[in-house]
Amino acid sequence: MIADALKMAVGTLTTVRVPAPGVIDRRVAGGAMVLAPPAVVPLAAVASLIVFLGESIGLPAFASAALALGAVALGSRGLHLDGLADTADGLGASYDRARALEVMRRGDSGPTGIATLVLVLLVQVGALAGAISAGHGIAAVATAVIAGRGVLSLCCARGVPSARPEGLGATVAGSVPVWTAAVVFAVLAGAAALALPWWQGLAAVTLGYLAAAALLARCVQRLGGVTGDVLGGCVEVAVAGILLASSF
């Protein structure tokens, strides 16, 4: 089960080619959400290398940050960014649940989604540039990429419903025990406390989780639960929160 879960996590969250899982059921899907942080270590490594090379050749911090986060977006097929835009469009489209879900299903980005995407990316790049200027850009981007995917276990914890009867959200919603999601948070917070100044690492992961939890709560209230787009949106706001707390 663990091998299938890791294959699903890597294959879903990155462009790294892996063999297809032997089976995909709720146990495997839940395991994939729990294993999301180690699954994206290759993305974190690439982003960290770009920041290191940028610092080595004297690139402006903002340029290094944009290149690093752009590489992460390419390495994840823009999956979470697309989810963020679709979620913003759905939440901004109508207070009618069915109408909002239909807007999200269409996949084309409206003005609300585009504006949200641009603003969140500006926050991410600007915050990472601040972390680079402060001398801990490599630790900040690695923490943001890995811990940002850690919120997937929070979003799929028991008690969080699916907004639709089908799709990725229906497969993973409620599939992670609450205690497991709590352990994932504790491990990520502890690792961040070692990578960054301890208080900043704890604050970064906590702020990322709080940002994701706020969006999750809004989506459960408005949409009735999670979808694949909501999961992607939660990842991106978590990354923004982590980088903000790491930016000084």
Side-chain angles (χ1 to χ4, degrees):
M1 192 275 285
I2 294 178
D4 282 337
L6 186 58
K7 290 175 185 177
M8 180 179 175
V10 174
T12 302
L13 301 175
T14 76
T15 57
V16 177
R17 293 189 176 184
V18 293
V23 62
I24 296 179
D25 54 21
R26 283 184 60 79
R27 286 186 66 222
V28 170
M33 298 300 98
V34 172
L35 293 174
V40 298
V41 165
L43 299 183
V46 170
S48 298
L49 178 61
I50 291 172
V51 170
F52 171 76
L53 292 175
E55 290 180 319
S56 299
I57 64 176
L59 274 184
F62 195 88
S64 295
L67 289 171
L69 293 175
V72 173
L74 287 174
S76 59
R77 306 181 190 89
L79 182 68
H80 307 309
L81 293 172
D82 179 67
L84 174 65
D86 288 345
T87 300
D89 276 332
L91 293 176
S94 172
Y95 279 99
D96 179 75
R97 173 179 174 273
R99 168 66 176 159
L101 288 171
E102 179 57 31
V103 168
M104 293 170 66
R105 190 192 296 272
R106 287 206 309 258
D108 54 334
S109 295
T112 303
I114 293 172
T116 300
L117 194 59
V118 170
L119 289 171
V120 171
L121 283 172
L122 282 173
V123 170
Q124 290 181 357
V125 174
L128 178 54
I132 293 171
S133 298
H136 49 255
I138 293 173
V141 74
T143 298
V145 172
I146 294 171
R149 275 65 181 176
V151 303
L152 290 172
S153 58
L154 167 70
C155 297
C156 298
R158 297 273 166 80
V160 179
S162 173
R164 298 191 184 103
E166 77 287 334
L168 177 62
T171 303
V172 299
S175 62
V176 178
V178 173
W179 70 266
T180 303
V183 169
V184 172
F185 167 76
V187 170
L188 292 171
L194 296 175
L196 294 161
W198 70 267
W199 60 270
Q200 196 167 29
L202 293 178
V205 175
T206 300
L207 182 59
Y209 264 72
L210 288 175
L215 178 57
L216 175 65
R218 181 60 171 163
C219 290
V220 170
Q221 178 191 38
R222 281 286 312 283
L223 307 174
V226 296
T227 68
D229 287 329
V230 171
L231 297 179
C234 287
V235 167
E236 291 299 340
V237 298
V239 169
I242 293 167
L243 289 174
L244 273 175
S246 308
S247 63
F248 53 92

